[in-house]
Amino acid sequence: HNLLNEVPNNINKMIAGNIQFDDDIDKFKNICKYIDISGGLETSGLKDISKIEIFLKKINDLKNET
């Protein structure tokens, strides 16, 4: 993920790969616009509503900080 810092800021960036619902997403907000967290919201291959709710709360909390 550190390689994203080398991509110019005028290019929209997306981060993917082992992003989990309980990761510190605050660290990504300054390096990319989009996060692919699809697999990180699953339990046993199925979307897990509790993980989705936790992640959305984190997004809302982060949004309300700015």
Side-chain angles (χ1 to χ4, degrees), residues 42-54:
E42 296 178 354
T43 300
S44 300
L46 299 173
K47 295 298 183 235
D48 184 323
I49 192 68
S50 63
K51 288 181 179 180
I52 294 169
E53 288 172 345
I54 291 168

Side-chain angles (χ1 to χ4, degrees), residues 4-66:
L4 288 175
N5 291 323
E6 297 179 26
V7 177
N9 288 333
N10 63 333
I11 296 175
N12 288 332
K13 298 171 255 184
M14 176 179 173
I15 192 165
N18 202 30
I19 309 297
Q20 300 299 310
F21 76 101
D22 56 354
D23 283 348
D24 179 13
I25 58 168
D26 188 47
K27 66 184 177 183
F28 299 128
K29 74 178 184 179
N30 292 324
I31 60 171
C32 65
K33 276 189 121 167
Y34 308 99
I35 298 175
D36 175 358
I37 188 167
S38 182
L41 299 174
E42 296 178 354
T43 300
S44 300
L46 299 173
K47 295 298 183 235
D48 184 323
I49 192 68
S50 63
K51 288 181 179 180
I52 294 169
E53 288 172 345
I54 291 168
F55 181 72
L56 290 176
K57 182 180 180 331
K58 289 174 79 171
I59 294 293
N60 283 328
D61 290 348
L62 187 62
K63 182 180 166 185
N64 290 332
E65 286 179 10
T66 57

